Structures are given as structure tokens and as C-alpha cells.
Amino acid sequence: DIQMTQSPSTLSASVGDRVTITCRASQSISSWLAWYQQKPGKAPKLLIYKASSLESGVPSRFSGSGSGTEFTLTISSLQPDDFATYYCQQYNSYSRTFGQGTKVEVK
Amino acid sequence: EVQLVESGGGLVQPGGSLRLSCAASGFAFASYAMSWVRQAPGKGLEWVSTISISGFSTYYPDSVKGRFTISRDNSKNTLYLQMNSLRGEDTALYYCAEDRAERGYSFEWGQGTLVTVSS
């Protein structure tokens, strides 16, 4: 199975900061990567698919990049609503796997 | 508006069985692959199973293969997950999700149903 590793596990930031989360795959997954946001007590929300495609309705401050084994999710200017946990997920194979999550907390 | 409403969760003893349901509305259920994803208390997301549009193709990780069975009834707009030989590590909130493709990602999610495996 393909393993997904996110870093950091926790990130402390302030409103207005530029935030970057990294996701690494144990083998090449081309661009078959999605990013989700999850808030406490809520279901995950799709942000990005195919590594860099923004899901409809998601603010443009969110962006994704990368291919192969290394990917990033960037929030250009962190907003109060963005404090949450973020997960990457590969779909290069029919056996999907998620990263362990990155919690973005208030600095 | 897309709605995915899970039900069937509860407390079950180790070795027991449970059947989850997910009632879908607001979209063409028979046109989309569907998945189950779970989240143990305080932990991350874990993919559990995916089913094709027709129901003929199903996929599982090794952690549940042979114990869980995903199925769907397109005439009832309902997704199911039959869980047998349950273990403590199966304790989690189980989400039903709508997928863009069998080999893909989930773009709509339900609110989940809690399964607790304990004696």
C-alpha cells in the first residue's frame, strides 16, 4: 500500500500568515492527490483534487501543487475560519490512503 | 441539495455484527461510486471501502477485507456496509461519501454514524 506522510503534524499560525503543509507519498502517485479540511465535530470537506484543482466554492486563498511524491497545500492568507485539521489522500490506486493530518492552530 | 444520512451505528460486542445504511438524496445516486470512510475517536481518517456505480466492483483495505461487505441498492438510493467479526479497533465514526470515480476522492460526505465495539 502507498503510505502518505504529512508534515508538520501541528502548525501554529496567526491570521494573515501564509501557511504551507507538505504531503509525501511512499511511491509516485502522479497528480492523484486530494486535500480535505475537517473541523471538530464535522465531516471532511474537499478542497483540492488532482493535486492542484480547486473544488467549486472553495476560496482562492487555498492552492495545491506538486506531483510524483511531494505535494503542498498552501493557504495564502490564513483566515479565522481556516483553523482546522487538513488531510491529504492519494487515489493513484484503488486502495486509497490518507495522511495522518495536520492541525492548524492559533499561535 | 445533496444529503447523505447514515444510520445503524451503536454498541456491539467484539465478534459481533452490524449493518450500516446511508440514505442518499439530492443527486443521481445510481451515477456515482460511493465509499465508507471511518475515523476513530481523536484519530485521522481511514478509508474503509468503495463500490462502483453498478455495484459489481468493490474495494477494501487489508484491515477490513473478508470482514466487511459494501453493497448498494440503486432502486432505494441506499448504500450499505455489513460489518462482521467486529474488533475494538473498528470503533469509529463511519462516514458515507459520494465519489467522483471508483479510483478517486470523495466530494460529498454525510455526518457519520458511531460504531462502538466493546464488551
Side-chain angles (χ1 to χ4, degrees):
Chain A
D1 285 357
I2 300 172
Q3 307 303 316
M4 306 300 293
T5 303
Q6 289 182 231
S7 60
S9 295
T10 306
L11 188 160
S12 299
S14 301
V15 172
D17 284 354
R18 181 181 181 87
V19 167
T20 299
I21 298 168
T22 297
C23 179
R24 289 186 173 88
S26 60
Q27 64 187 72
S28 178
I29 58 169
S30 185
S31 296
W32 305 119
L33 185 95
W35 288 98
Y36 301 88
Q37 175 194 67
Q38 187 180 33
K39 297 179 180 179
K42 299 294 186 181
K45 174 187 174 183
L46 177 66
L47 300 176
I48 302 281
Y49 61 93
K50 208 175 179 185
S52 61
S53 296
L54 193 67
E55 174 68 358
S56 176
V58 174
S60 59
R61 63 181 180 272
F62 291 92
S63 64
S65 65
S67 65
T69 62
E70 188 151 337
F71 302 85
T72 58
L73 173 70
T74 299
I75 309 172
S76 60
S77 178
L78 194 68
Q79 298 303 299
D81 192 48
D82 301 338
F83 292 99
T85 300
Y86 294 84
Y87 295 92
C88 62
Q89 177 232 312
Q90 67 81 18
Y91 53 102
N92 182 70
S93 71
Y94 285 97
S95 186
R96 311 173 184 189
T97 44
F98 288 91
Q100 81 278 16
T102 295
K103 183 178 181 180
V104 177
E105 63 178 22
V106 177
K107 188 173 184 179
Chain B
E1 179 193 4
V2 171
Q3 283 203 324
L4 296 168
V5 180
E6 302 93 337
S7 61
L11 175 63
V12 61
Q13 292 189 338
S17 298
L18 214 52
R19 188 198 200 199
L20 306 184
S21 299
C22 172
S25 61
F27 68 103
F29 179 76
S31 298
Y32 290 91
M34 298 292 294
S35 290
W36 289 96
V37 175
R38 69 185 180 185
Q39 187 168 35
K43 302 298 184 182
L45 302 171
E46 180 186 15
W47 168 70
V48 173
S49 187
T50 297
I51 189 167
S52 64
I53 291 170
S54 65
F56 289 148
S57 297
T58 58
Y59 310 92
Y60 308 91
D62 289 343
S63 58
V64 307
K65 196 175 295 182
R67 300 188 299 122
F68 289 11
T69 302
I70 190 172
S71 61
R72 64 191 297 163
D73 186 336
N74 287 344
S75 69
K76 295 182 178 179
N77 288 354
T78 303
L79 177 72
Y80 302 101
L81 185 68
Q82 177 66 43
M83 304 185 296
N84 298 330
S85 303
L86 283 162
R87 307 166 180 167
E89 55 263 38
D90 297 318
T91 294
L93 186 64
Y94 283 74
Y95 292 104
C96 160
E98 180 186 359
D99 293 345
R100 287 259 163 82
E102 287 171 54
R103 186 176 67 91
Y105 53 89
S106 301
F107 67 104
E108 293 286 354
W109 298 66
Q111 288 306 303
T113 186
L114 182 63
V115 172
T116 303
V117 183
S118 175
S119 55

